[in-house]
Amino acid sequence: MQGAYMGKILRVNLTEKKVSESPLPEDYIRKYLGGRGIAARLLYDIMTPGTDPLSPDNKMVWGTGPLTGLPVQACSSGWVVTTKSPATGTYFRSRCVSNLGIMLKRSGYDFLIIEGKAESPTYIYIENGDVEFGDASSLWGTTTDLAEYIIKNHLIRNPRVETAVIGPAGERLVKYAIVQCGTRQLGRGGMGAIMGAKNLKAVAVYGDKPIPIANEDVLKELVKEQINQLSAAHGTKRMQRYGTAAIHTLINQIGDYPYKNFRSTYFPDHEKLNGEGRVRKTIRNAGCPNCIINCWKFTYVKEGPYAGAWVDGPEYETFCTFGGLLDISNLDATIAANQLADLYGIDTISAGITIGFAIEAFERGIITTKDTDGMVLRWRDEEVMMKLIKKIAFREGFGDLLAEGVKVASEKIGKGSEEFAPHIKGLELPAYDPRPVKAHGLGMVTSNIGGSHALGYGTQEVFGLPTPVDRYTLEGKGKLTKFNQDRLTWGECCIWCTFPTRSEWHKPDLLTKIVVAATGVDFGGFESALKIGERVWNVEKAFNVREGFDRRHDTLPARFLKEPIPDGPSKGQKFELEPLLDEYYQARGWDVATGLPTRGKLEELGLKDIADDLEKMGRLR
Amino acid sequence: MGKVSVKFYQDIRDAAGTSLAELEIEGPTPLPLFLKKLVGRFEKLKPLLENLQTEKAAVIVLVNGRAPIPISSEVLMGGEEISILPMVDGG
């Protein structure tokens, strides 16, 4: 018996207000497994190269994995969206861990494709296979929390509905607008702007259909072993206590911190702003259903100027981007800024990085108060951070420029500011400096979605897990990066939580057995899993190649290539781009000179049709 | 003769009962030997410092911000700063 899949794709056309269903192709399950894999392939199939990401022709593929909604640890609420990003112009995948994925599956669908543009503000409601288009005119302009509340309690009148809503930033097409899903987000890459461009305020889903499991007894036994492995892992215990902020001190101590817009990699005041501080502010530990890790931390500010602020977080990235990156060491301010970003619907990483860039440009005299609506931009200024978050979200004055992200903002400002605008392919860098972590940095440079740490995290260099690797050496980093990317890609097909999977708190061979028990499909062991990951990576790469991307775009701003880190534990480090790229392309089996895929590699992966596509465009080597 | 400073973080600090220690070394000292000396002074660190750089490791040991690989390859000369941090993931 095949389990874990619902077997259907739902397609919603907002322009025509039409809904259709199609079966989930059996061969796609075998080749791409599910989640990010099938969503990437579907997007490749249905998108026309050159499509404007903010046009009605852009598509969003919302995808669940076979493990979404199952009684398995560290996976059950995971889901993804693939689309073309307005921030990068590349393929994009955004990942979320809200219960919307579970509801989508229990409503009868593995995947949801959204296309077109509604005539007026609209929300979509999916309930057990029925789809309604609702009028969201009265919700247009509202913050994410209010929109969610009204949709659940007044329009649909079912508080168990799961929602994905945009705020004012998404409506205004801020290039890094997010989609708020309960207290979690579809972050990065402007997912909220795409919904805004489609006049789509929200997606709401409710379902109560059972999800089949192929071998339930076997699965139960395997999950017992999974719990044993996770319970024994030291990382699980630390994450239960500190959440993702557990790594804040480590990243600083290895000299990888994005202090003051990456001018330095060591934050002197880091002890005022770390995971222990968050423990003191945490009023509730939570997490995905069926997961013992419980990494979500609800924090609340009880007194002082930010009293009343609360957030599900801040996560590590936000600790930095609304904290040390701006030389801010007041956790209360970071919590309040995080809450504002969630309410307005902007990405905390991209917003913080963009603000940091603006402060440096101001400090250097490249921009002045004439450009900033009279504001003096300074480090360590919480008020500046709060004001700019609002200006960006509402595209007010100077915020309108920053709402375009650091790539576009630096190109418009000019005067050499491009050299210190931290992004890769238009996506703002995460809170790691690529210079002192060669594989981790290479993972960001070659990521199919631009400057993200999440697609190929160099755990071996940063945490020493599953086996330690020296972070400064160059040799072997191309191969290591390919392994990390393929592993995480497979994980997001299933859809495993990234943290315990990449550090192997639960072992890969156990995870592959769980997938087989749940689905009844013999996907093979970990070697086969890596092959699926590699195949999906190549589909994503082909999407980008079709859009004109190649080796020239796998790069970093001058700061990271030319300026040695001036101080701290990683003093003197630069990012050695060319030799790292050479080895990476070799490991991938791509053309080293251009970074383009080869027919041999694509055919080896069963992607002959994609090789033919690229050849017709003159984009195959 | 030289001094080596050791910084303890998060639950390692709780186990050590302090956030900072300074130990004297008598000339060049292999890191494993130094860590044994550290355990002699802070007994509760013993279980935390076992199985370093294996999948069972409870902590990460940095010398001047860098993890020596393998641990036995590092020889302390005096003046180093050692950081002992919990094994984590996240971000």
Side-chain angles (χ1 to χ4, degrees), chain A residues 312-332:
Chain A
D312 174 2
E315 303 294 347
Y316 161 72
E317 295 288 335
T318 311
F319 260 78
C320 300
T321 54
F322 286 164
L325 178 108
L326 307 177
D327 204 15
I328 286 170
S329 55
N330 177 2
L331 179 55
D332 291 356

Side-chain angles (χ1 to χ4, degrees), chain B residues 13-56:
Chain B
R13 183 182 54 214
D14 298 341
T18 180
S19 59
L20 183 66
E22 267 195 348
L23 274 73
E24 292 274 354
I25 55 171
E26 308 283 340
T29 306
L31 181 57
L33 195 63
F34 178 83
L35 293 175
K36 273 189 183 172
K37 193 174 173 182
L38 191 67
V39 167
R41 186 158 152 192
F42 300 99
E43 280 185 22
K44 286 184 180 172
L45 292 182
K46 190 174 180 210
L48 294 169
L49 289 171
E50 289 170 351
N51 304 308
L52 289 176
Q53 294 190 342
T54 72
E55 60 182 19
K56 292 182 178 172

Side-chain angles (χ1 to χ4, degrees), chain A residues 369-578:
Chain A
T369 50
K370 287 179 186 168
D371 304 296
T372 63
D373 312 323
M375 288 175 70
V376 174
L377 306 188
R378 288 179 294 234
W379 303 114
R380 206 174 276 234
D381 192 330
E382 297 162 16
E383 194 180 341
V384 161
M385 172 173 69
M386 297 296 181
K387 280 184 178 171
L388 284 179
I389 288 170
K390 182 158 187 271
K391 278 176 168 285
I392 290 167
F394 288 86
R395 284 189 177 269
E396 292 170 357
F398 181 53
D400 188 41
L401 176 66
L402 300 186
E404 292 296 308
V406 287
K407 178 175 184 288
V408 172
S410 66
E411 286 167 358
K412 288 188 175 172
I413 291 168
K415 300 176 187 171
S417 65
E418 302 94 328
E419 296 197 351
F420 58 88
H423 73 90
I424 297 168
K425 302 183 186 80
L427 188 71
E428 288 73 19
L429 283 185
Y432 306 88
D433 193 308
R435 287 172 285 189
V437 280
K438 309 305 178 185
H440 195 42
L442 186 59
M444 298 181 217
V445 169
T446 58
S447 150
N448 285 326
I449 67 171
S452 170
H453 59 298
L455 269 60
Y457 202 109
T459 51
Q460 302 87 347
E461 290 180 337
V462 179
F463 309 125
L465 286 172
T467 48
V469 171
D470 184 77
R471 59 197 171 89
Y472 292 163
T473 56
L474 302 185
E475 195 181 345
K477 294 301 171 67
K479 198 174 169 188
L480 181 63
T481 298
K482 174 188 180 293
F483 169 81
N484 286 337
Q485 290 172 338
D486 291 348
R487 179 183 58 180
L488 277 175
T489 305
W490 165 76
E492 291 191 344
C493 295
C494 295
I495 182 173
W496 292 114
C497 172
T498 187
F499 306 127
T501 304
R502 67 193 185 191
S503 280
E504 298 189 7
W505 301 345
H506 49 188
K507 304 299 170 206
D509 60 340
L510 174 66
L511 303 190
T512 55
K513 287 177 189 166
I514 288 174
V515 175
V516 172
T519 61
V521 180
D522 184 8
F523 289 108
F526 190 52
E527 282 304 311
S528 304
L530 290 175
K531 191 54 83 178
I532 291 170
E534 183 181 14
R535 183 178 299 121
V536 173
W537 191 270
N538 275 265
V539 171
E540 296 171 334
K541 173 75 176 180
F543 184 103
N544 288 344
V545 166
R546 218 168 52 164
E547 298 289 341
F549 288 86
D550 53 38
R551 179 169 182 147
R552 294 167 298 169
H553 305 91
D554 289 346
T555 189
L556 283 158
R559 162 157 294 165
F560 303 95
L561 302 177
K562 293 179 182 169
E563 288 180 26
I565 293 172
D567 52 23
S570 295
K571 184 177 178 181
Q573 288 294 311
K574 291 189 285 187
F575 193 76
E576 298 88 344
L577 181 71
E578 302 305 335

Side-chain angles (χ1 to χ4, degrees), chain A residues 74-79 95-102 148 162-163 180-186 236-246 275 278-279 281-300 310-316 319 338 342 497-500, chain B residues 89-91:
Chain A
C75 63
S76 69
S77 65
W79 55 287
R95 179 187 170 133
C96 188
V97 287
S98 82
N99 289 346
L100 186 138
I102 300 174
E148 177 184 342
E162 290 290 330
T163 57
Q180 187 75 11
C181 309
T183 59
R184 312 302 290 185
Q185 298 80 29
L186 272 174
T236 298
K237 292 162 197 157
R238 267 61 177 260
M239 195 163 263
Q240 284 169 337
R241 181 162 171 76
Y242 303 112
T244 58
R278 190 169 78 171
V279 170
K281 305 277 179 189
T282 298
I283 58 164
R284 175 83 183 165
N285 294 309
C288 300
N290 305 315
C291 184
I292 63 167
I293 297 176
N294 266 5
C295 68
W296 306 4
K297 308 295 167 196
F298 284 79
T299 54
Y300 183 73
W310 71 273
V311 75
D312 174 2
E315 303 294 347
Y316 161 72
F319 260 78
N338 195 158
D342 289 355
C497 172
T498 187
F499 306 127
Chain B
D89 194 313

